[in-house]
Amino acid sequence: MTRGLTGAPPRPLDQRRRDVLAALANDRNGWLSTASADGVPHLVPLAFVWDGEKIVMSTREDSRTARNLRANGRGRLAVGSPTDVVLVDGDVTISAPDADVPAVAAELPLHPSRVPGCVYLFLTPKRVQAWRDRGEMREKVVMAAGHWLDQAAGL
């Protein structure tokens, strides 16, 4: 068993999944990475809420983030700290300002009813990685192809 810098043994897969879900339910800020059509990366801090299936964010309709997502529809959200990392990769859709959205979206600071020109972003997780230190790096994937892994599936 490889121990990390803290000396703690790696968390079992089911514990890392629970910790990821707790982070998504309780954290409110992350870093969203997108890329333009020609591959130029863009990274911005955004508030988010988890509706149990998707990560909901909002941004200005004319932002570089929205333009990038219209070009390729993929994003990565980083949540946590360097010693408790959650990376969520997935498809991101953009809603119209007047679209029917989950009630949790009202918690976002940029809300179309308060800030004209905002749109909602919905990141549907396809791959999730989580680790606390080097001891968990080898088996950091907890979701692949949109499905949570289980202990029997291996990593």
Side-chain angles (χ1 to χ4, degrees):
M1 170 185 335
T2 303
R3 291 183 183 267
L5 297 174
T6 64
R11 294 170 292 168
L13 180 61
D14 61 334
Q15 182 62 54
R16 284 186 291 130
R17 176 182 174 178
R18 285 192 302 272
D19 292 346
V20 165
L21 290 170
L24 293 176
N26 297 313
D27 288 5
R28 287 292 174 256
N29 296 291
W31 291 87
L32 182 66
S33 175
T34 60
S36 65
D38 58 353
V40 177
H42 181 65
L43 181 68
V44 294
L46 287 178
F48 74 89
V49 290
W50 171 246
D51 76 356
E53 294 180 16
K54 297 178 290 306
I55 297 166
V56 184
M57 299 165 279
S58 58
T59 191
R60 305 262 324 158
E61 188 172 23
D62 60 354
S63 70
R64 182 181 299 179
T65 298
R67 289 193 308 270
N68 287 351
L69 291 169
R70 284 187 194 97
N72 66 33
R74 301 276 304 152
R76 169 178 277 179
L77 184 71
V79 178
S81 70
T83 58
D84 193 1
V85 177
V86 175
L87 296 179
V88 181
D89 299 315
D91 298 325
V92 183
T93 58
I94 301 173
S95 77
D98 58 353
D100 185 28
V101 297
V104 296
E107 299 174 29
L108 295 170
L110 287 179
H111 190 279
S113 68
R114 294 187 299 270
V115 182
C118 289
V119 291
Y120 290 109
L121 309 176
F122 300 99
L123 189 157
T124 301
K126 297 295 183 196
R127 180 175 180 221
V128 177
Q129 301 172 74
W131 69 90
R132 287 210 171 132
D133 59 29
R134 148 178 102 200
E136 294 182 355
M137 290 295 292
R138 248 181 98 204
E139 298 179 344
K140 63 188 172 205
V141 177
V142 296
M143 176 188 276
H147 301 284
W148 293 103
L149 301 182
D150 60 32
Q151 218 58 55
L155 295 175

